[in-house]
Amino acid sequence: VRPAVEALVLRLLEKDPAARFATYAELRAAIDAAREKPTAPATFFVRAVAFAIDVAVMGTYAAILGEVVHSAAVGWIVAVLQFGALERVWSTPGKKLMRLRAVDASGDPPSWRRALLRSAVRMSGPIVMAADLDILGKAGVVQSLVFVAALVAWVVALALGLHDRAARTREVFL
């Protein structure tokens, strides 16, 4: 048994009630501090596969929403917000399948703000590309150039891990 867990159990078993935890909140904080947190960083390949799964799922969801509201950009924005919420409370489908979790510096799931920021930065490319299709129409040289530029910028941002840097998070194996 790890020393932190042993100390927690011994404090719970104290004969003197004053030496035990005074409140449930105090006990919960001690449990959180004692639990082992995942620290093995996820490899690039596993992250890329999880991301591809997430983009496929999110893209399908965003396309359906886009058809319902008649705007691909709105569909993507709603999908990003919902995937940000998933990142906070459960994890995304790709991460679940690849046994990954996004965590903050302390090893806990990211806060709501960080999860939404991470999701927005990570999916900024599809949002820009969808908005480009909505605003400029379905064809044209300028639209094609903007689309390609957004795609290249998005891939570079993902390769540099800007979504993790912006949100101060990282992905670890469970």
Side-chain angles (χ1 to χ4, degrees):
V1 177
R2 293 182 303 106
V5 175
E6 181 181 3
L8 178 69
V9 171
L10 290 175
R11 187 166 173 196
L12 286 167
L13 296 174
E14 281 287 338
K15 288 183 182 183
D16 179 17
R20 294 184 215 140
F21 295 100
T23 65
Y24 178 75
E26 188 181 339
L27 171 61
R28 186 72 204 139
I31 291 171
D32 283 344
R35 75 180 163 98
E36 192 169 16
K37 297 177 182 174
T39 58
T43 60
F44 179 77
F45 177 75
V46 174
R47 286 180 64 148
V49 171
F51 181 71
I53 293 167
D54 286 343
V55 168
V57 172
M58 189 183 298
T60 303
Y61 181 67
I64 292 168
L65 280 174
E67 287 299 316
V68 169
V69 298
H70 305 294
S71 171
V74 171
W76 272 101
I77 290 169
V78 171
V80 164
L81 292 173
Q82 290 185 334
F83 265 68
L86 274 178
E87 189 92 79
R88 168 71 177 112
V89 297
W90 179 73
S91 196
T92 62
K95 284 187 191 65
K96 277 292 187 190
L97 288 171
M98 300 308 292
R99 300 184 46 83
L100 299 176
R101 183 75 167 124
V103 297
D104 62 15
S106 65
D108 292 321
S111 66
W112 284 104
R113 182 184 64 80
R114 288 183 187 200
L116 292 172
L117 175 63
R118 185 175 197 281
S119 183
V121 172
R122 189 175 48 177
M123 289 300 156
S124 60
I127 292 171
V128 170
M129 290 181 266
D132 181 37
L133 291 174
D134 282 349
I135 294 167
L136 299 175
K138 304 291 183 207
V141 174
V142 172
Q143 181 261 345
S144 297
L145 291 174
V146 171
F147 187 88
V148 170
L151 178 63
V152 169
W154 180 55
V155 170
V156 169
L158 290 175
L160 294 174
L162 292 183
H163 56 293
D164 279 328
R165 292 177 190 211
R168 292 181 294 198
T169 58
R170 58 194 170 100
E171 287 184 26
V172 295
F173 286 108
L174 293 177

